[in-house]
Amino acid sequence: MLRAQRLAKGLTLIEAAEQIREVVSDLDRGPRVTVEQLRLWETGGHQPLRTTVLVLAAFYGCSPGGLGLEDAEAVAGIVLRAESRHGRRAEITPMSAIGEGILTAAEHLSHRVDAARRAVDRTLASATVNSSQLDHIDEMLLWASQEYISTPPALMLTRLLDLLADVEELAACRQPAAVQVRLSELTAMLSTLTADALMKLGDLTRSRSWYATARTAADDSGNSELRARVRAQAAMLPFYYGPIPQAVNLCREARVISSRARTSATHAFSAAAEARALAKLGAEAEAEAALRYATKVFEQFGGDSADDAFAFPERRYLLYKSGTLTALGHTREARQVQEQALVLYQDKTGIDPALLRLEAAICYARDRSPDEACQLDGATFLRMDPAHRTPIVEERAREVVQVLPSDIRTGRAARELLEIIDLPPGRM
């Protein structure tokens, strides 16, 4: 039992002996404690003096009986006879006097215990983030995610970095678990938006790094919905810039993580993104199956009423459905979806409505209406705010020419379209 008390404190024999010696260092008649002596007491090879039992009980914070030593409960009222340094028997010392010394040792240990607790409490108190601080950042994040859908990525990036600096400052110190979870969630969401903005700007290396940071923060939070959402969003990078199979894998991973909440926005988003990626990959049967599943999930989910970057309202579902149908070559159905979505986007800005019109132009090109395709493509590109004409939009606009029949790609309409796309923003 004596050994069990030591192990319960997580101490080695050397550490226990050193700490007990420190506890009794102020006693005139403190017991001599060595590693070997402590080992003998623990194995039953020797029995400690009854006064030493009190020291051990005080050190381990238990009653003498909790040490499992012989006659441990008989320590009260005993007397100690000690040999003098010169070999003569010393005077008998009442146990009450020794008890005062032992009490001092116990008090010393208690003082250390209390001091350690106060130090920990001070650390927690100094590191705890005020709830109003978190609420403020939550509000700022909500504002940023609402602004994100319409603000040019370069401008949005500066705002996101300011918010990230605020979160990083709060997270720099150790925080209680509940606070740390919220900070990790905030970091994951802000990092995701930062990565997405960098992707739109064509800074792929930094975008990839920020998506990795977002996944780390989301995993650290333990929030399965957020973990899935970050992965589904990260799939956009390989979707636009390759490799496409990586986009499919990320979407499937997101679907698995969010599978417990099958009627959630994230599960619906993951399924729709997977369908679009499979269609672009050319896996027609798989894409159609994934789209049917995405439609079923979205109908059960019902769509978000929120209007921010992390919501998945009907218009965004239709955007992904349009991308899937366009890639599969189902142009007639795709055109119907695009018209339905544009009605919902009528008061919105940003690149989503432009992407829908560019996909409509691709459908015209596939239907061998090259003039109409190029006119719609060029008009969409010209009407866009130059700050939104990012590499993603530019590549989508060029895709119209790529899907035209080879004998038409060198025609007048195609050449004029490419000239429009190649013009510097200030010349448009």
Side-chain angles (χ1 to χ4, degrees):
M1 291 179 66
L2 180 61
R3 181 173 180 270
Q5 292 287 355
R6 174 175 61 80
L7 295 177
K9 288 176 70 71
L11 299 175
T12 64
L13 279 168
I14 295 175
E15 292 169 340
E18 290 177 349
Q19 292 186 24
I20 292 172
R21 286 198 298 271
E22 183 179 350
V23 167
V24 300
S25 61
D26 295 332
L27 296 178
D28 293 335
R29 295 182 176 85
R32 179 175 175 270
V33 180
T34 64
V35 173
E36 183 59 28
Q37 187 66 67
L38 192 56
R39 180 184 293 109
L40 289 172
W41 292 340
E42 289 186 357
T43 59
H46 285 168
Q47 284 290 319
L49 294 173
R50 290 172 174 174
T51 51
T52 303
V53 172
L54 285 177
V55 173
L56 295 173
F59 177 75
Y60 287 120
C62 64
S63 66
L67 300 175
L69 297 171
E70 183 181 351
D71 296 329
E73 295 293 353
V75 296
I78 66 170
V79 296
L80 173 67
R81 296 179 180 274
E83 295 292 333
S84 69
R85 293 181 181 178
H86 302 289
R88 296 190 300 272
R89 187 173 296 279
E91 295 181 359
I92 296 176
T93 306
M95 186 61 210
S96 59
I98 297 174
E100 292 176 0
I102 298 299
L103 184 61
T104 302
E107 288 177 342
H108 176 70
L109 179 61
S110 297
H111 174 74
R112 290 184 60 200
V113 170
D114 291 340
R117 178 187 55 77
R118 287 192 294 270
V120 171
D121 285 345
R122 283 195 299 270
T123 299
L124 291 174
S126 63
T128 299
V129 176
N130 190 300
S131 60
S132 63
Q133 292 175 292
L134 287 175
D135 291 341
H136 172 70
I137 294 179
D138 276 334
E139 291 175 3
M140 294 300 293
L141 174 59
L142 176 60
W143 169 82
S145 62
Q146 290 172 339
E147 292 293 306
Y148 187 85
I149 60 179
S150 59
T151 304
L155 176 59
M156 198 68 226
L157 193 58
T158 61
R159 299 175 181 175
L160 292 171
L161 291 176
D162 287 341
L163 280 175
L164 276 164
D166 291 340
V167 174
E168 192 278 334
E169 183 178 353
L170 296 179
C173 299
R174 186 262 179 215
Q175 303 295 339
V179 174
Q180 191 61 53
V181 166
R182 290 186 68 184
L183 288 172
S184 295
E185 290 173 344
L186 290 168
T187 301
M189 297 172 77
L190 287 168
S191 297
T192 298
L193 294 179
T194 300
D196 192 69
L198 289 165
M199 177 190 68
K200 290 177 179 177
L201 293 170
D203 195 339
L204 306 187
T205 300
R206 288 189 174 89
S207 176
R208 191 172 291 109
S209 296
W210 273 101
Y211 273 130
T213 298
R215 288 196 297 273
T216 299
D219 291 346
D220 185 59
S221 75
N223 184 329
S224 58
E225 182 84 0
L226 184 58
R227 292 179 62 229
R229 184 57 186 249
V230 168
R231 283 161 172 79
Q233 196 66 44
M236 299 306 102
L237 183 61
F239 173 79
Y240 285 112
Y241 296 101
I244 301 297
Q246 186 178 36
V248 174
N249 291 337
L250 282 169
C251 291
R252 285 178 174 169
E253 187 178 350
R255 275 182 59 182
V256 171
I257 295 173
S258 62
S259 60
R260 291 185 178 180
R262 292 181 181 272
T263 58
S264 69
T266 297
H267 197 61
F269 171 54
S270 303
E274 181 185 351
R276 189 174 69 161
L278 284 167
K280 189 172 184 179
L281 188 62
E284 183 173 353
E286 288 184 82
E288 290 176 344
L291 182 58
R292 287 194 296 271
Y293 180 77
T295 300
K296 179 182 177 181
V297 172
F298 184 80
E299 289 174 350
Q300 292 175 341
F301 161 59
D304 267 329
S305 58
D307 189 21
D308 62 69
F310 292 100
F312 196 59
E314 184 180 4
R315 63 177 183 272
R316 290 206 70 202
Y317 158 70
L318 293 173
L319 172 68
Y320 282 85
K321 186 175 182 179
S322 167
T324 304
L325 295 171
T326 300
L328 291 175
H330 301 341
T331 56
R332 183 175 179 180
E333 188 178 356
R335 290 287 293 116
Q336 293 174 348
V337 171
Q338 291 151 11
E339 291 173 2
Q340 185 181 355
L342 285 169
V343 171
L344 299 176
Y345 272 107
Q346 59 184 353
D347 295 327
K348 307 297 176 185
T349 56
I351 71 169
D352 285 2
L355 290 176
L356 284 164
R357 292 188 177 94
L358 293 176
E359 285 175 357
I362 292 173
C363 289
Y364 284 130
R366 291 187 184 278
D367 289 340
R368 292 184 174 272
S369 300
D371 291 341
E372 192 171 2
C374 292
Q375 288 173 7
L376 178 58
D377 196 348
T380 300
F381 202 75
L382 287 171
R383 281 200 300 264
M384 287 192 70
D385 180 347
H388 283 294
R389 295 192 196 117
T390 61
I392 286 178
V393 175
E394 182 177 329
E395 288 304 310
R396 200 61 166 161
R398 290 182 186 278
E399 191 175 341
V400 173
V401 178
Q402 295 169 7
V403 299
L404 287 171
S406 57
D407 58 330
I408 301 178
R409 291 176 196 168
T410 57
R412 178 179 176 181
R415 291 199 310 271
E416 289 179 349
L417 174 59
L418 291 175
E419 289 174 0
I420 291 173
I421 297 173
D422 289 335
L423 283 173
R427 299 281 302 278
M428 294 184 181

